[in-house]
Amino acid sequence: MNKQVVAKRYASALFEIAKEQQLLDQLEQELRVVKQVFAQNEALLSVLNHPKIALTKKKALVQEAFANISTVLQHTLMLLLDRHRIDIVNELADAFIALANEARGVAEAIVYSARPLTEDETNALADVFAKKVGVDALRVTNVVDKDVIGGVKVRIGNRIFDGSVSGKLARLQRQLTR
């Protein structure tokens, strides 16, 4: 079965537990940390997937590495180890965050700009684009990209709003070459 499909099932179950126990914000933050740990330590994932390492040692390693996270998330990680699905942690985190954002009416946005945006500029972009995509709020991440030249390019989910100078130049070039 596809990793995304399996991850969505686990994320959905974890999301329901988080709603019942009012741990939505806490679990989201913890999942972001777990995802970051797995992204920064590729060796950890290879150790946890290695067939010659005993399951008890893998569980002890996960308990030690993630001792400060909630028991619900620890149990989820143990379940993933038991079922040989620990490699879906990143997809599970993404799916959980998407469910949590949807429940709150929030969306994630990546804003590419030629220079770092000020807090006022970020807030103004968040307000304008939140209305455009029909959500209550946007969580904006600013990425500095010198190729943008000027203006901004906003990515929300799989939608891109390109107001950059480089984007306008590319569109103009396409029109002139027709």
Side-chain angles (χ1 to χ4, degrees):
M1 199 180 293
N2 186 347
K3 272 178 147 181
Q4 308 299 58
V5 174
V6 174
K8 282 183 182 178
R9 288 184 181 176
Y10 280 99
S12 178
L14 189 60
F15 178 74
E16 291 302 319
I17 292 169
K19 276 196 332 190
E20 284 176 15
Q21 298 182 7
Q22 283 129 15
L23 295 172
L24 199 60
D25 293 333
Q26 179 185 346
L27 279 178
E28 181 181 352
Q29 292 306 319
E30 289 176 355
L31 272 169
R32 286 180 189 274
V33 170
V34 168
K35 180 180 175 182
Q36 185 178 7
V37 167
F38 276 99
Q40 290 175 349
N41 303 309
E42 292 176 19
L44 176 62
L45 192 57
S46 63
V47 166
L48 294 175
N49 279 323
H50 200 283
K52 291 191 177 180
I53 298 175
L55 185 61
T56 54
K57 287 186 179 181
K58 292 177 186 179
K59 285 185 175 186
L61 177 65
V62 167
Q63 277 185 322
E64 186 179 322
F66 301 110
N68 296 333
I69 64 173
S70 64
T71 55
V72 172
L73 190 51
Q74 279 185 354
H75 289 302
T76 303
L77 292 174
M78 295 303 155
L79 183 64
L80 291 174
L81 278 171
D82 286 337
R83 298 202 175 151
H84 306 287
R85 297 258 189 214
I86 197 70
D87 59 330
I88 67 163
V89 168
N90 287 339
E91 291 84 357
L92 182 142
D94 291 339
F96 183 89
I97 291 167
L99 287 170
N101 285 343
E102 187 179 321
R104 290 189 202 107
V106 175
E108 303 272 339
I110 301 172
V111 178
Y112 300 93
S113 61
R115 61 169 177 75
L117 298 176
T118 65
E119 192 173 328
D120 290 339
E121 292 169 331
T122 303
N123 292 338
L125 281 170
D127 291 342
V128 169
F129 283 98
K131 291 175 187 162
K132 281 191 179 200
V133 295
V135 294
D136 297 334
L138 276 182
R139 226 180 253 151
V140 176
T141 304
N142 183 213
V143 176
V144 176
D145 182 3
K146 297 296 181 193
D147 294 336
V148 171
I149 302 173
V152 293
K153 183 166 48 171
V154 181
R155 181 184 188 120
I156 303 169
N158 57 4
R159 295 168 68 182
I160 298 175
F161 301 92
D162 193 352
S164 65
V165 172
S166 61
K168 288 178 184 175
L169 287 173
R171 287 190 293 279
L172 183 62
Q173 182 183 16
R174 280 194 300 268
Q175 286 178 345
L176 292 174
T177 57
R178 284 188 195 169

